[in-house]
Amino acid sequence: MKLSPLQISRYQYNPKLPGMLRHGVSEICVKEGEATQSVADQEKIKSLFPNTYGKKEITFQKGHNNASSKKQIVGVILSGGQAPGGHNVVSGLYDALKSANKENELIGFLGGPSGLIEDKYIVFTDEYIDQYRNTGGFDIIGSGRTKLETQEQFKIAEQVCKSHNINAIVIIGGDDSNTNAAVLAEYFAANNSNIQVIGCPKTIDGDLKNEDIECSFGFDTATKTYSELIGNIERDANSAKKYWHFIKVMGRSASHVALECALETQPNICLISEEVAEKKMSLSEIADYIADSVNERANRGMNFGVAIIPEGVVEFVPEFKKLIQEINELLAGSKANEFNELPTWNDKYQFIEKGLSEQSFKVFEALPQLVQQQLFLERDPHGNVQVSLIESEKLFSALVKDKLMERKAKGLYKGKFSVLHHFFGYEGRCAFPSNFDADYCYSLGYNAFMLIQYGYNGYLSKVSNLSKPAEEWVAGGMPITKMMNIERRHGEDKPVIRKALVDLNGKPFKYFEEHRQIWAVETSFTFPGAIQYYGPSEVCDLTTRTLALEKGE
Ligand code: FBP
């Protein structure tokens, strides 16, 4: 394989550990904090996790390591969507494990959680790990979206671990994967399996965060990558002065990615799904809101601009959500076949008209045909609409165009509206991790091993104080049960880690809210440029604006 110069030079990069982990494994000891309680539904969560509930928060510090140095065999799994830095979690884990005892082994299960169930694995060596240090992607062992959640799967997991003499599993994943990690930890504890489970907080979506976890890894690099591209587009828009760019950015549900990109690039428009839901905005109201900016900018002679649309927004629009529910019911069971056999789109359209409520049909009718067809053609194996495949950037530009035409007919708008569409998602998930993510991920992995060595089970590797230089970061662990509450999922009450949506009272949103009216009508674009890996710390070690604002910086 031919290596790029950057790849070669990233191999040499030494990720920065928190000061307290820099003394070597033999000089790290534990400081136990207070016993914990779940964020809500304490009695219920306690009864579901009798063996792992209520454990103490812990912090590492310099001191004599009094944990046993017996040989350890650890398994690791990458779960869910890729996020820059995953390779560094694995290499940090590997380095700590080998420096504790050369005989220790790290086993990587292939292709995500299913690798554990199917016993597909590799044993890491120095040569193998060295090819992946400080690089993006999850290709070191691959990832997958199989969920580890049934008792049957847990039993198999236990057998597979025992067959390899594995004494701990590290699960690198988002809120769902770490919820399942907590359930697996409880299962192992209840069965006296002597297998520990440690989680690591991953997702570019940024929605695994709470009072303990300041951010999930990958968010920093992914948003910097998208912001670079958005900034470049803004500059192009401001040079040519002839296009409006509608840019959809990833984030399956929460709008953290969109908000961070907006803070970085100051576009004319950025929708925030959580606000759309809070204000119960209709598609027509959203379109009017964007059209107001286009209209006002045209009045000022600027027929160009940039609008950021979060991937998950349509599910936050109440009338659209209802439409999707009705479509799912309309096509449930054998009715999907009946629909599919209809020969023309016209026939299908009549079927839809008959099947939807009057209110939902009105919403459907107003959609561009492309989106109407996407709602019926792109369905998952259960027959449900795949909302993530809806091209919401095209949906909103079409709705805005209709609004502008109406205004034009009344003599209220005299501009031109030429639109280009973009979707930034996969471009950012496997980028070379920023120095922040390279350092943070290596620290999470290194720290995960310390939690294993000290015998903790059902903990999330926690590194905090992240807006400060790495030297001042604080390493430790938090029982996953502390982050859980009971939520209704698929008709059942389940213990889950609370997904963090954008807090409309939080400082990042408030900053955006204070400035967006100006951004909407003036050209206030900012150009963050590419991620810098080498050079002065003020450009290479920047945290996200979200983290800085949350920390009051
Ligand atoms: P995770 O929550 O698993 O980290 O994945 C998030 C994400 O990147 C979303 O932003 C996006 O909607 C989704 O994954 C895409 O999934 P897939 O890779 O399966 O297409």
Side-chain angles (χ1 to χ4, degrees), residues 89-334:
V89 181
V90 178
S91 53
L93 174 64
Y94 179 84
D95 288 352
L97 170 140
K98 287 288 179 188
S99 82
N101 181 344
K102 281 263 163 292
E103 300 291 302
N104 285 349
E105 277 178 26
L106 183 63
I107 293 179
F109 287 100
L110 301 174
S114 63
L116 175 61
I117 302 304
E118 293 160 12
D119 198 11
K120 295 196 176 133
Y121 67 95
I122 56 157
V123 178
F124 288 106
T125 59
D126 288 355
E127 296 69 41
Y128 191 81
I129 285 270
D130 287 350
Q131 301 170 62
Y132 292 95
R133 289 181 188 274
N134 306 306
T135 59
F138 276 9
D139 43 334
I140 189 167
I141 44 174
S143 187
R145 290 200 182 274
T146 302
K147 290 185 193 305
L148 285 184
E149 54 189 353
T150 66
Q151 295 289 310
E152 201 187 357
Q153 287 173 320
F154 294 164
K155 207 166 173 190
I156 300 172
E158 185 180 12
Q159 282 158 4
V160 172
C161 288
K162 293 226 153 120
S163 71
H164 294 289
N165 289 324
I166 285 176
N167 60 284
I169 287 281
V170 175
I171 297 179
I172 303 169
D175 54 333
D176 272 353
S177 307
N178 279 298
T179 291
N180 294 337
V183 184
L184 182 63
E186 177 62 30
Y187 175 92
F188 285 156
N191 288 290
N192 296 317
S193 313
N194 284 325
I195 306 167
Q196 299 156 247
V197 183
I198 300 294
C200 285
K202 171 234 70 164
T203 176
I204 64 153
D205 290 3
D207 54 11
L208 173 47
K209 66 173 173 182
N210 47 50
E211 58 182 37
D212 296 306
I213 302 302
E214 292 176 6
C215 71
S216 54
F217 79 77
F219 179 70
D220 186 89
T221 311
T223 53
K224 284 189 166 92
T225 305
Y226 306 142
S227 299
E228 179 208 348
L229 298 173
I230 295 168
N232 294 350
I233 285 176
E234 287 179 337
R235 202 137 217 175
D236 197 293
N238 198 27
S239 305
K241 304 197 190 297
K242 61 177 179 181
Y243 295 123
W244 265 87
H245 295 266
F246 276 56
I247 307 171
K248 179 169 81 168
V249 292
M250 253 189 192
R252 179 67 199 85
S253 183
S255 300
H256 299 290
V257 173
L259 178 57
E260 170 63 20
C261 292
L263 295 169
E264 289 279 0
T265 62
Q266 305 189 175
N268 306 104
I269 292 290
C270 175
L271 301 180
I272 300 296
S273 309
E274 292 80 350
E275 185 184 23
V276 165
E278 165 103 353
K279 293 184 172 163
K280 298 193 173 47
M281 289 174 86
S282 64
L283 292 174
S284 169
E285 283 166 338
I286 299 171
D288 262 323
Y289 167 67
I290 304 174
D292 286 347
S293 164
V294 177
N295 203 342
E296 182 52 33
R297 283 178 64 77
N299 292 348
R300 297 171 182 219
M302 296 180 287
N303 288 299
F304 65 94
V306 168
I308 299 179
I309 315 289
E311 181 185 2
V313 65
V314 285
E315 276 186 296
F316 286 74
V317 179
E319 61 184 13
F320 202 90
K321 205 170 159 184
K322 183 158 187 295
L323 170 66
I324 291 168
Q325 276 163 3
E326 286 191 23
I327 292 175
N328 288 340
E329 277 163 36
L330 184 62
L331 298 182
S334 62

Side-chain angles (χ1 to χ4, degrees), residues 266-270 279 289 292-293 296-297 300 510-524:
Q266 305 189 175
N268 306 104
I269 292 290
C270 175
K279 293 184 172 163
Y289 167 67
D292 286 347
S293 164
E296 182 52 33
R297 283 178 64 77
R300 297 171 182 219
K510 286 287 171 204
Y511 181 93
F512 167 70
E513 197 180 29
E514 271 163 35
H515 293 84
R516 66 177 163 188
Q517 263 165 310
I518 295 175
W519 299 353
V521 293
E522 293 178 7
T523 301
S524 318

